[in-house]
Amino acid sequence: GDFVGDASSKLVSVARGDVTDPPSLASLITRTTGAVIYAASASRSKEAKKSSNAKAVDRDGLVDVAKLCIANDVPRLVVVSSGGVSKPSSAVYIFLNLAAGGIMDAKIAGEDAVRRLYAAPGVAERGVGYTVVRPGGLL
C-alpha cells in the first residue's frame, strides 16, 4: 500500500492498499495509526473478479484489517457497510446478493466477524473499538 493525497495535512492521511493482500497493509496500519476507515467493496469488473470478489473484500479483507487494527492498538476502525445488510429477506438484499456475487452475505459475515474479534477477552481493555456505518442507497 501507499499513502496518497495531501501530505501536508496533519489531520488526515489517505492510504490506498489491497485488502486482498494483508501483508501489503502492514506498513499502512501501524501503532501510530489513529483510525482506519474501511470503505472497500468488491469489484464487478471481469478482470478483478478472481481476487476482488465479495468474500475476498467484504468479508476476508475486512477481517484481516480488523485483526491488524487490534494487533496495532488502532483506537477506532470505521466500517462502511450497507444499509440493506440487516434485511436479508428484502428485495434489495436479494437483488444485490444475486447481481454482485453474494456481496450482501459477505458484508454481514464481515460485520459479524468484526463483532466477534472486538468482543474477544481483553480487546476492549486495550482501548480499541469499531463503528459500523450503514448508508442507504444514493440517488
Side-chain angles (χ1 to χ4, degrees):
D2 58 319
F3 286 95
V4 296
D6 183 0
S8 66
S9 174
K10 294 181 183 193
L11 299 175
V12 176
S13 296
V14 178
R16 178 177 44 222
D18 182 353
V19 299
T20 66
D21 180 18
S24 74
L25 301 174
S27 64
L28 301 175
I29 301 172
T30 67
R31 295 201 174 275
T32 62
T33 303
V36 170
I37 300 173
Y38 190 92
S41 194
S43 174
R44 293 183 62 198
S45 73
K46 288 183 181 183
E47 304 82 44
K49 282 201 178 213
K50 286 185 181 177
S51 63
S52 181
N53 60 63
K55 288 179 184 171
V57 174
D58 295 286
R59 185 190 67 195
D60 301 341
L62 175 57
V63 169
D64 290 336
V65 166
K67 287 177 180 177
L68 273 171
C69 287
I70 293 168
N72 286 292
D73 294 324
V74 175
R76 181 66 47 183
L77 169 62
V78 178
V79 179
V80 181
S81 185
S82 171
V85 299
S86 63
K87 300 173 185 89
S89 60
S90 72
V92 171
Y93 186 108
I94 294 166
F95 171 75
L96 288 174
N97 221 33
L98 289 172
I103 195 166
M104 300 303 276
D105 289 343
K107 283 185 179 294
I108 195 65
E111 283 186 29
D112 289 343
V114 166
R115 280 187 274 282
R116 284 190 298 276
L117 287 169
Y118 279 86
V123 174
E125 293 77 18
R126 295 171 71 169
V128 299
Y130 71 96
T131 301
V132 176
V133 179
R134 291 181 175 167
L138 302 175
L139 299 176

